[in-house]
């Protein structure tokens, strides 16, 4: 067993609060590792204010470092409400990016796909319209101010990260649901 697998397993099994860095994209996230395989890692995410912010499924080869312990991480953890810390996150099928997207959408009814390997990151928030082993069609949410909808087609090989259940995404879902009712 490699050192990486040994520690990822330990951090997951011990429910250790971590800070995960993806330096190539200038991002870092607090959370708990809830699952991983050879290619992907699922993080139960918390924002800097210690609020539950959904899940992120990261490609492991994009993760540059994982930190745990220390005052900053420990104090962020101490501010998490126990009910959010213990809240159950449903299983995400890590077999492929296609199964990840399907299971994230099935669990949260919305998702965010990120395309980060370009000059500026692209975030697409919306609902799954259609998918196969190569292509995703997403019924995208516009911003809170526009409440616009549009469809986007994305190649699965370009997706670097999938998020679901986050605060911003949940709020957009509420606004779009209310708009549909009126």
């Amino acid at each position: 067993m490699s050192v990486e697998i040994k520690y990822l397993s330990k951090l997951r099994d011990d429910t250790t609060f971590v800070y995960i860095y993806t330096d190539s994209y200038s991002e870092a996230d607090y959370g708990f590792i809830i699952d991983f395989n050879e290619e992907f890692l699922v993080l139960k995410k918390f924002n800097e204010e210690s609020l539950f912010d959904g899940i992120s499924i990261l490609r492991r080869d994009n993760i540059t470092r994982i930190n745990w312990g220390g005052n900053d991480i420990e104090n962020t953890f101490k501010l998490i409400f126990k009910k959010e810390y213990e809240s159950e996150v449903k299983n995400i099928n890590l077999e492929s990016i296609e199964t990840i997207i399907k299971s994230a959408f099935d669990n949260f009814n919305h998702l965010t796909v990120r395309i980060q390997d370009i000059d500026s990151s692209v975030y697409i928030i919306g609902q799954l319209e259609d998918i196969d082993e190569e292509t995703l069609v997403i019924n995208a949410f516009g911003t809170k101010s526009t409440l616009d909808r549009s469809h986007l087609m994305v190649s699965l090989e370009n997706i670097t990260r999938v998020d679901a259940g986050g605060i911003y995404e949940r709020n957009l879902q509420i606004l779009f649901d209310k708009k549909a009712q009126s």
Side-chain angles (χ1 to χ4, degrees), residues 12-14 22 24 32 37 49 65 91 104 117 122 132 175:
R12 178 197 59 207
D13 297 345
D14 293 348
T22 53
S24 296
F32 300 97
N37 67 8
E49 288 79 38
R65 50 199 163 107
N91 188 38
D117 289 332
V122 175
D132 65 15
L175 290 173

Side-chain angles (χ1 to χ4, degrees), residues 83-99:
K83 68 178 181 130
E84 288 186 330
Y85 166 75
E86 294 177 342
S87 65
E88 187 73 24
V89 173
K90 296 187 176 151
N91 188 38
I92 301 296
N93 183 339
L94 298 179
E95 184 178 319
S96 68
I97 194 72
E98 178 186 359
T99 62

Side-chain angles (χ1 to χ4, degrees), residues 59 114-117 154-161:
R59 291 187 185 271
R114 297 186 188 197
I115 302 167
Q116 298 168 299
D117 289 332
V154 178
S155 173
L156 294 183
E157 71 181 22
N158 293 326
I159 296 172
T160 56
R161 176 176 174 156

Side-chain angles (χ1 to χ4, degrees), residues 20-21 38 49 62 77 83 136 148 150 153 155 159 169 171 173 175 179:
I20 293 185
Y21 298 86
E38 189 174 304
E49 288 79 38
N62 290 338
F77 171 71
K83 68 178 181 130
L136 164 69
D148 191 22
S150 65
M153 185 167 55
S155 173
I159 296 172
E169 295 90 337
N171 288 338
Q173 180 75 48
L175 290 173
K179 182 180 177 186

Side-chain angles (χ1 to χ4, degrees), residues 22-38:
T22 53
D23 291 306
S24 296
Y25 309 124
S26 300
E27 293 184 346
D29 294 293
Y30 292 105
F32 300 97
I33 297 169
I34 57 174
D35 200 6
F36 68 92
N37 67 8
E38 189 174 304

Side-chain angles (χ1 to χ4, degrees), residues 55-116:
I55 63 166
S56 290
I57 301 96
L58 306 157
R59 291 187 185 271
R60 281 190 41 206
D61 59 359
N62 290 338
I63 297 170
T64 50
R65 50 199 163 107
I66 299 174
N67 192 11
W68 64 96
N71 288 336
D72 180 56
I73 295 169
E74 292 301 319
N75 288 332
T76 302
F77 171 71
K78 288 176 186 174
L79 294 173
I80 295 172
F81 291 111
K82 188 171 178 66
K83 68 178 181 130
E84 288 186 330
Y85 166 75
E86 294 177 342
S87 65
E88 187 73 24
V89 173
K90 296 187 176 151
N91 188 38
I92 301 296
N93 183 339
L94 298 179
E95 184 178 319
S96 68
I97 194 72
E98 178 186 359
T99 62
I100 287 169
I101 289 169
K102 285 179 181 177
S103 59
F105 180 72
D106 288 346
N107 286 316
F108 295 96
N109 198 35
H110 64 267
L111 54 98
T112 301
V113 294
R114 297 186 188 197
I115 302 167
Q116 298 168 299

Side-chain angles (χ1 to χ4, degrees), residues 133-148:
E133 62 277 349
E134 296 177 4
T135 306
L136 164 69
V137 176
I138 191 166
N139 189 359
F141 295 155
T143 64
K144 288 191 292 186
S145 61
T146 66
L147 291 182
D148 191 22

